[in-house]
Amino acid sequence: MSITGTGAVIPVHGPIALARPLLEALVGPEVPASERPARVLVVDDASPEPVDPADLPEGVELLRRATNGGFGAAVNTGLRALADGAAHDDSPHDDAPPIPHALVLNSDLQIPPGLCARLVEDAAPFSPAIVGCRLLGADGSSEHAARRFPTIGHQSVEWLVPLASQRHRDVLHRAVGHDLEADRASGMVPVDWVVGALLLLPLREVLELGGFDEGYFMYTEEVDLQMRTRRAGIPSLLDADLAVHHAGGGSARAEARRRRWLVGARMRYARRHGHVHALRAAMTAATGANLVWNSGRRLAGRDVHPLAAAHEELSLIHCAGRGLPR
């Protein structure tokens, strides 16, 4: 597998400035030709102020979506363009060799030199597979790119406010589905799923399965995809020897909106792959525990509003994802 046989898709919604360092790391003048993807596509997911092609580095193609469909829809637009051999009508690539693999990258990533070429090289013996790498936050701490398929237990524990201050502990990481063994390993490690900030995808196989489910606006779409690819015999792997820095939060600046997207996505996943009514019941019970905990904190003089917090949580559990504004 060669990096020159790999396309890159970077979805954006908003100013392109955030993605400039990533684009320069992919196609900048200091990047050797042998380490550049065959094509690099920026997919403008109906940004309020459209991305100007003049603001993109040379060698980067621009696709514009008429409507904001969310992360999965934007990625699918790029994947189909790679498979079809054209980014837009006036830029045909019909004479180019087919692109068997696609790198999907969040626009806020910081990648070291040579990372993409090394990822492609490491993944070659396992192809077709979905491959990711370590994700590091701004402070250098792990964002736990390797995870277990979500369960009702994982999501209920994560919902419990009394445990929030203990989430640095290994037992809590495992309780919410973080695969610590993979995160602390080396080499290529089989995992349930890898976080979608950076993914190497087998292009044909993913599109044959329908690509990302566009019913997810934001969050959990990569989990759904990797559940489907796993059932089709395509594994997910963590390249534990490689790491990128992930700024995070660029697509959901408002916390309330982020929570609606996240809970709505998890309910959709539960409807498709689990038991949504059981999940709602478990999270509702966790909200009851949060109410008791917050009531005690208020009696202790803390500035909390237990009933308002419980009302917000119940609204998310029972309404998120139903007619949610984009």
Side-chain angles (χ1 to χ4, degrees), residues 112-220:
L115 177 131
C116 292
R118 172 72 184 280
L119 181 70
V120 170
E121 179 184 351
D122 290 351
F126 303 91
S127 183
I130 292 180
V131 184
C133 68
R134 295 183 186 277
L135 297 178
L136 306 178
D139 61 356
S141 62
S142 174
E143 293 192 348
H144 305 286
R147 304 195 183 183
R148 309 287 186 186
F149 284 127
T151 66
I152 291 172
H154 294 155
Q155 293 167 93
S156 300
V157 168
E158 191 174 42
W159 199 247
L160 285 168
V161 173
L163 299 179
S165 64
Q166 303 300 312
R167 286 177 185 162
H168 61 286
R169 300 184 183 278
D170 283 3
V171 64
L172 263 296
H173 280 298
R174 291 190 173 92
V176 298
H178 296 166
D179 188 341
L180 296 188
E181 287 68 33
D183 196 57
R184 295 167 181 174
S186 60
M188 299 291 283
V189 187
V191 298
D192 281 359
W193 66 279
V194 282
V195 173
L198 186 153
L199 294 174
L200 181 67
L201 304 177
L203 183 57
R204 177 179 61 83
E205 289 84 354
V206 165
L207 289 177
E208 285 178 350
L209 290 171
F212 286 91
D213 179 350
E214 298 182 13
Y216 297 93
F217 183 71
M218 191 70 65
Y219 303 116
T220 312

